[in-house]
Amino acid sequence: MRTGSRVLLVLLLLLPAWGSAAAHNGDLTVRPTCKPGFSEQDYTAFVSQNIMEGQKLLKVKFNNCAGNKGVRYETNSLDFKVRADRTLFAAHHVQMPSKQLILVVTAWDPQTLGRWEAMVRFLVAEKSQHNGHKPKGRKTLPGDLVQQQSDTLLPWRQHQSANGLRRQKRDWVIPPINVPENSRGPFPQQLVRIRSDKDKEIHIRYSITGVGADQPPMEVFSIDPVSGRMYVTRPMDREERASYHLRAHAVDMNGNKVENPIDLYIYVIDMNDNRPEFINQVYNGSVDEGSKPGTYVMTVTANDADDATTANGMVRYRIVTQTPQSPSQNMFTINSETGDIVTVAAGLDREKVQQYIVIVQATDMEGNLNYGLSNTATAIITVTDVNDNPPEFTTSTYSGEVPENRVEVVVANLTVMDRDQPHSPNWNAIYRIISGDPSGHFTIRTDPVTNEGMVTVVKAVDYEMNRAFMLTVMVSNQAPLASGIQMSFQSTAGVTISVTDVNEAPYFPTNHKLIRLEEGVPTGTVLTTFSAVDPDRFMQQAVRYSKLSDPANWLNINATNGQITTAAVLDRESDYIKNNVYEATFLAADNGIPPASGTGTLQIYLIDINDNAPELLPKEAQICEKPNLNVINITAADADIDPNVGPFVFELPSVPSAVRKNWTITRLNGDYAQLSLRIMYLEAGVYDVPIIVTDSGNPPLYNTSVIKVKVCPCDENGDCTTIGAVAAAGLGTGAIIAILICIIILLTMVLLFVVWMKRREKERHTKQLLIDPEDDVRDNILKYDEEGGGEEDQDYDLSQLQQPETMDHVLNKTPGVRRVDERPIGAEPQYPIRPVIPHPGDIGDFINEGLRAADNDPTAPPYDSLLVFDYEGSGSTAGSVSSLNSSSSGDQDYDYLNDWGPRFKKLADMYGGGEED
């Protein structure tokens, strides 16, 4: 008998494929037939906290009824692997993350496609258990704890010690519960029953907590609180969640904990319910034409949402179709595992097939078409061009024609054929001239659109030198030819270019032509012959000469032979000479059709001769009347050049004798001298001093120049005084007095004019004071035109609006009514005449007389007449203006008019004082 409660653990198998035995009343019924599978549904082993790489952990047993040795084993963890002898080992060093680790070992037969699974649970062993005890295979518990599978879990176990005391043993680890995804029910579907052996003594209530129970997603699992039966309430989806971790609780009716909570692990078993999905529906790749077999093209990738560690998520690829099937129906192959597409056959030629469309199929279940799910995608493979076709001329010879002396002219167009991809480096042509043009007269440019070669003249050709050219040209591509491809003999051609003769202009062989001669040669002297050459040797033509530019008109040219003669004396000192050179331009024209002409420039270098006498500088000077105070520096200017200029010789003439008596010249250097007084005192005045200046030419030339010297009294600094300067200018005492009198008269006139202007301003101010400011009502009288008739008054006489030419109709009009614009006829009164120089006292009399004359003048406006206003009509759309009438109540206050100043004083007196009257 047992003195304490014990626990029985049985997992209810819901699906027949998950186990090989069913529990009936605690007994196992063994099927008589052999069924392959693991010997145990779950294995348990104790391991240390640190597991070394390659360390053997557990060996599972598998019953292979067919004796097939091709069964493969794998786990759902990357940390652990299974050898062919079914030994489970660590793939690398593993640090156990918790006190237990659960994984799934899968066995599958590639031939029968059968799959079997078993659960393996690793427990981190305590030191007392680990020393000397190394469990192997399924965990074997003490004898009374070994039990068979049933539909009830008794996870809480209790034992009695030898002395009769009860001690709590370590909780038993519950094996995971496997639930297939996409189950069709019916739901709720029972998974397992949990109970405690204390339920015989007290009433116990069971509950579960965790994700899927009381945490989102809610109520995926439920438990009967009385019986402890746990259910799944709906189909599971491994792709949504692969596992659940719940905790089972047992409490009494008062909510007191009866047992410690236990962990329940529920794994969703994957089903093949997801097709492989390609990342892209269309893949684009490329491969060079002529590629060898095995050349990589592209990679296609498909993902399967199922478990990648099982056959459900293992995708395999294959090529379904290839379009076009040229030159072979299997030009490409695909790696079934990686999806890499490579070439498998030779013969890719872009010029024949530019693009292949390949349909790729991805199938899970490791490519099993019977059980796996499939999907397809399109791979577009473009065959890229390589330069495997050299360019070839369409013909072996070309011809062209070009006029001589023309450049940038296209002579011939060279056409080629290239089967490579247009407008690519493999197609673009490059032309070269191999022979026939040693001087580089031609080049070949490529038309970027047509790829034609344009033979162009870049250096002018001469018919007289070359009448024709025979060129050998070659064409190639920008890109080099592919390996193994040779140039074609059709890549070279010949080009014949004929040169046509045109009338060329004559030219001067020496242009510019320079000659040297002395200036001053006489008129008619032959200078040189400036002749031109006609390059047209094969044409009989005459050349005529003429002047094109002769600024000074010094030259003549013979029209027949080009002889140059002088038409005037050539002067080097002329303004037309630049740097001693005179330039003239001549024209040489032939009589060809059409005529042609050329120009030539003749440069004449004139050699200087001594034909210009020196000139004295300065022309005027000033000196003190006493010597030794200051002197006059003099020099000379000569239009000639060295050696016909200085040094100069300065000397005074002997006649008149007074010059040498009063003046003396002292030489400073070859170009300068000093003029000074010889005597002790010279009267102030202006003196003309002649000086003879001689140059150093051969023969020398001299010139007598006069310098005006002003002699004046000077101060202690040697400067002329003001009076002395005036005296030196030649003015006597009488002239000075006359100038002073004129200045005094001018100042007097200005003073009188100022006095008169002030008097006139004073008189004008006095006139303004005669009028009282309060009586000054000089407001403008504004005249407003008469209003015309109303809208309905259209019957009026237009003649009344016209200006009468004569006054007869006015004189003959009956007395009575007159229009306001009619001026009466009568004798006009005489108005008083205003005096020329009015007196302030006469202003009032003048105004009164003018007023009386205006009152008696009938012709002065406004005319005393009856004004006739035309009828405006009735029914005007305008409203009444009666509302503008002032109030007659008499309560209006006009006192504010007193604040408006003197101009409104009269108005304020009229209205503001009404109450006092």
Side-chain angles (χ1 to χ4, degrees):
M1 294 189 55
R2 31 179 206 143
T3 59
S5 61
R6 44 173 203 180
V7 178
L8 294 178
L9 173 63
V10 177
L11 178 64
L12 177 63
L13 302 178
L14 301 177
L15 296 178
W18 289 5
S20 60
H24 296 283
N25 298 323
D27 296 330
L28 293 176
T29 302
V30 181
R31 298 180 182 273
T33 59
C34 178
K35 186 174 182 180
F38 287 99
S39 61
E40 300 288 344
Q41 288 299 314
D42 58 272
Y43 293 85
T44 303
F46 285 97
V47 296
S48 61
Q49 186 74 30
N50 295 317
I51 303 176
M52 304 304 295
E53 181 179 358
Q55 179 180 345
K56 297 181 181 179
L57 304 175
L58 179 69
K59 186 173 183 179
V60 297
K61 294 182 180 181
F62 182 79
N63 184 14
N64 187 4
C65 297
N68 187 2
K69 297 182 179 180
V71 177
R72 301 179 184 179
Y73 304 94
E74 60 186 17
T75 69
N76 62 347
S77 174
L78 299 177
D79 298 332
F80 304 95
K81 292 184 179 180
V82 183
R83 293 193 176 97
D85 61 353
R86 298 178 298 280
T87 300
L88 193 66
F89 66 97
H92 53 81
H93 179 267
V94 178
Q95 179 78 21
M96 292 296 288
S98 60
K99 292 186 177 181
Q100 68 173 352
L101 178 66
I102 300 175
L103 54 90
V104 178
V105 178
T106 303
W108 61 283
D109 191 344
Q111 296 181 358
T112 63
L113 300 179
R115 297 180 63 84
W116 301 269
E117 293 180 349
M119 299 297 170
V120 176
R121 180 173 57 258
F122 292 122
L123 303 178
V124 178
E126 299 178 359
K127 294 183 178 180
S128 60
Q129 294 176 334
H130 186 67
N131 295 333
H133 179 71
K134 186 177 181 181
K136 184 176 182 181
R138 178 181 174 91
K139 170 72 172 119
T140 303
L141 301 176
D144 60 345
L145 297 181
V146 178
Q147 55 186 345
Q148 298 173 349
Q149 286 185 340
S150 68
D151 62 348
T152 303
L153 290 176
L154 295 171
W156 296 286
R157 299 168 179 262
Q158 295 182 0
H159 301 273
Q160 187 172 2
S161 61
N163 56 10
L165 296 177
R166 302 181 62 182
R167 64 183 178 91
Q168 184 70 29
K169 293 291 291 183
R170 199 164 84 82
D171 291 343
W172 196 37
V173 178
I174 306 301
I177 304 170
N178 296 328
V179 181
E181 66 172 335
N182 303 324
S183 175
R184 298 184 179 181
F187 295 100
Q189 189 176 39
Q190 181 177 341
L191 295 180
V192 71
R193 181 184 178 189
I194 301 174
R195 60 178 293 267
S196 172
D197 54 1
K198 291 183 180 181
D199 60 356
K200 296 179 180 179
E201 302 172 1
I202 59 175
H203 294 285
I204 297 178
R205 292 294 181 263
Y206 303 96
S207 64
I208 55 176
T209 59
V211 176
D214 60 345
Q215 299 178 20
M218 307 285 286
E219 298 180 353
V220 177
F221 303 97
S222 63
I223 189 170
D224 188 325
V226 177
S227 64
R229 299 180 188 275
M230 191 172 73
Y231 302 91
V232 59
T233 61
R234 61 192 183 199
M236 310 294 290
D237 187 357
R238 192 203 66 85
E239 288 71 41
E240 180 179 347
R241 190 175 183 88
S243 64
Y244 296 86
H245 178 200
L246 303 178
R247 305 202 76 185
H249 305 269
V251 297
D252 59 13
M253 298 301 293
N254 296 322
N256 298 320
K257 182 175 68 173
V258 177
E259 304 284 358
N260 292 326
I262 63 170
D263 293 325
L264 299 177
Y265 293 93
I266 302 173
Y267 291 95
V268 182
I269 303 302
D270 183 44
M271 304 293 289
N272 191 19
D273 57 344
N274 290 278
R275 293 179 179 274
E277 295 291 340
F278 283 95
I279 297 177
N280 301 309
Q281 280 301 311
V282 178
Y283 291 84
N284 290 283
S286 62
V287 62
D288 290 340
E289 61 176 332
S291 296
K292 297 179 181 180
T295 303
Y296 172 80
V297 179
M298 62 194 303
T299 300
V300 297
T301 304
N303 297 324
D304 197 316
D306 291 324
D307 190 356
T309 61
T310 66
N312 297 335
M314 295 181 180
V315 180
R316 298 295 181 264
Y317 304 92
R318 74 185 187 96
I319 294 178
V320 180
T321 60
Q322 167 196 306
T323 306
Q325 298 180 357
S326 173
S328 172
Q329 63 180 357
N330 295 318
M331 296 296 297
F332 306 95
T333 186
I334 188 170
N335 188 304
S336 61
E337 294 185 1
T338 63
D340 294 340
I341 299 177
V342 297
T343 59
V344 71
L348 291 173
D349 190 352
R350 191 203 66 85
E351 287 72 39
K352 295 180 180 179
V353 179
Q354 299 182 3
Q355 191 179 81
Y356 290 91
I357 298 178
V358 177
I359 305 300
V360 180
Q361 184 183 60
T363 306
D364 58 15
M365 296 299 292
E366 297 183 292
N368 191 312
L369 300 178
N370 296 326
Y371 301 99
L373 302 178
S374 302
N375 215 335
T376 60
T378 302
I380 300 177
I381 302 174
T382 301
V383 182
T384 56
D385 184 46
V386 298
N387 194 12
D388 58 346
N389 294 282
E392 298 177 349
F393 286 104
T394 57
T395 183
S396 60
T397 58
Y398 297 88
S399 62
E401 187 178 78
V402 59
E404 63 174 336
N405 302 323
R406 295 280 301 276
V407 294
E408 297 301 326
V409 177
V410 177
V411 180
N413 289 331
L414 312 181
T415 56
V416 296
M417 180 185 65
D418 195 325
R419 293 188 297 273
D420 290 321
Q421 184 175 356
H423 305 289
S424 68
N426 300 329
W427 180 82
N428 295 335
I430 297 177
Y431 300 87
R432 292 186 296 114
I433 298 176
I434 300 176
S435 63
D437 184 24
S439 300
H441 291 284
F442 304 95
T443 188
I444 305 178
R445 298 166 181 166
T446 305
D447 188 320
V449 178
T450 63
N451 213 28
E452 294 181 353
M454 300 178 293
V455 182
T456 307
V457 181
V458 293
K459 183 179 179 181
V461 295
D462 190 355
Y463 176 81
E464 285 72 27
M465 299 294 294
N466 295 290
R467 298 187 183 184
F469 293 86
M470 299 293 296
L471 308 179
T472 301
V473 299
M474 184 178 71
V475 63
S476 59
N477 293 124
Q478 286 182 352
L481 290 174
S483 177
I485 305 299
Q486 301 295 327
M487 289 292 295
S488 172
F489 70 92
Q490 295 180 350
S491 297
T492 59
V495 182
T496 303
I497 300 175
S498 301
V499 182
T500 59
D501 191 16
V502 297
N503 185 26
E504 299 177 78
Y507 67 93
F508 292 89
T510 54
N511 193 16
H512 303 24
K513 184 176 182 180
L514 178 65
I515 62 174
R516 301 170 64 91
L517 71 154
E518 290 185 350
E519 63 174 330
V521 295
T523 303
T525 302
V526 177
L527 301 182
T528 185
T529 298
F530 196 28
S531 59
V533 177
D534 192 346
D536 297 316
R537 295 178 296 170
F538 303 101
M539 297 181 184
Q540 300 298 325
Q541 298 178 148
V543 178
R544 305 284 293 179
Y545 301 92
S546 61
K547 286 196 304 181
L548 188 62
S549 172
D550 184 12
N553 201 22
W554 286 345
L555 305 175
N556 288 328
I557 186 169
N558 189 295
T560 304
N561 57 18
Q563 190 179 65
I564 307 295
T565 58
T566 59
V569 177
L570 279 62
D571 186 7
R572 192 200 64 82
E573 290 75 30
S574 172
D575 293 336
Y576 298 105
I577 302 298
K578 305 296 181 185
N579 298 324
N580 302 326
V581 176
Y582 179 74
E583 276 193 2
T585 306
F586 299 93
L587 184 69
D590 61 19
N591 58 351
I593 301 175
S597 61
T599 60
T601 301
L602 178 65
Q603 294 180 331
I604 303 175
Y605 185 89
L606 296 177
I607 301 173
D608 184 44
I609 62 174
N610 194 19
D611 58 345
N612 294 278
E615 294 287 338
L616 184 67
L617 294 177
K619 299 296 184 181
E620 296 181 355
Q622 183 176 282
I623 194 172
C624 295
E625 59 187 4
K626 294 181 180 181
N628 299 328
L629 291 179
N630 55 9
V631 295
I632 300 173
N633 292 325
I634 59 175
T635 184
D638 197 326
D640 294 322
I641 60 175
D642 191 66
N644 297 319
V645 290
F648 300 103
V649 177
F650 303 91
E651 57 184 348
L652 296 172
S654 58
V655 178
S657 60
V659 175
R660 290 193 174 185
K661 177 182 178 182
N662 297 333
W663 305 93
T664 183
I665 292 178
T666 304
R667 182 182 178 86
L668 296 179
N669 53 36
D671 294 330
Y672 290 91
Q674 287 182 344
L675 177 64
S676 60
L677 289 174
R678 180 185 292 271
I679 60 178
M680 297 302 296
Y681 174 80
L682 184 63
E683 185 180 358
V686 178
Y687 297 87
D688 292 335
V689 181
I691 299 176
I692 301 173
V693 184
T694 306
D695 60 20
S696 299
N698 186 18
L701 295 180
Y702 67 91
N703 182 29
T704 302
S705 300
V706 177
I707 179 172
K708 289 184 176 296
V709 180
K710 295 180 181 180
V711 180
C712 60
C714 296
D715 54 17
E716 63 276 4
N717 295 325
D719 298 327
C720 286
T721 60
T722 304
I723 299 176
V726 174
L731 297 179
T733 304
I736 296 175
I737 294 174
I739 292 174
L740 293 177
I741 292 174
C742 291
I743 294 174
I744 293 173
I745 293 174
L746 181 61
L747 293 176
T748 303
M749 292 178 63
V750 171
L751 182 60
L752 292 175
F753 178 76
V754 172
V755 172
W756 179 78
M757 289 297 296
K758 289 186 175 182
R759 178 181 176 84
R760 184 178 177 184
E761 179 67 22
K762 184 177 181 181
E763 290 179 353
R764 187 176 64 82
H765 184 66
T766 304
K767 291 179 182 179
Q768 293 180 353
L769 296 178
L770 295 177
I771 303 176
D772 187 0
E774 296 184 359
D775 297 333
D776 186 9
V777 290
R778 293 174 295 173
D779 295 332
N780 294 328
I781 300 177
L782 304 178
K783 178 182 178 182
Y784 296 91
D785 292 339
E786 296 181 65
E787 294 185 11
E791 293 83 352
E792 298 179 2
D793 183 15
Q794 301 297 332
D795 186 13
Y796 47 80
D797 186 9
L798 292 177
S799 63
Q800 300 296 332
L801 302 178
Q802 299 176 356
Q803 180 69 25
E805 298 180 358
T806 62
M807 300 300 295
D808 295 340
H809 69 288
V810 179
L811 298 175
N812 298 332
K813 194 171 184 179
T814 59
V817 179
R818 297 199 312 271
R819 292 186 60 84
V820 71
D821 56 350
E822 295 180 356
R823 185 172 182 270
I825 303 300
E828 296 183 359
Q830 295 295 326
Y831 286 89
I833 299 176
R834 186 176 180 180
V836 178
I837 302 177
H839 190 272
D842 297 337
I843 296 301
D845 297 338
F846 173 76
I847 293 176
N848 293 329
E849 292 178 3
L851 180 59
R852 286 193 296 268
D855 291 340
N856 297 325
D857 185 6
T859 63
Y863 312 130
D864 292 334
S865 60
L866 178 63
L867 303 181
V868 179
F869 296 92
D870 291 337
Y871 174 65
E872 295 186 358
S874 63
S876 175
T877 58
S880 174
V881 295
S882 61
S883 61
L884 300 178
N885 293 336
S886 300
S887 174
S888 59
S889 61
D891 296 335
Q892 184 69 29
D893 185 7
Y894 297 98
D895 292 340
Y896 61 86
L897 295 175
N898 294 322
D899 301 332
W900 286 11
R903 290 181 178 271
F904 295 90
K905 188 174 185 302
K906 294 288 185 182
L907 191 61
D909 295 339
M910 293 173 58
Y911 288 89
E915 295 295 328
E916 296 176 359
D917 296 340

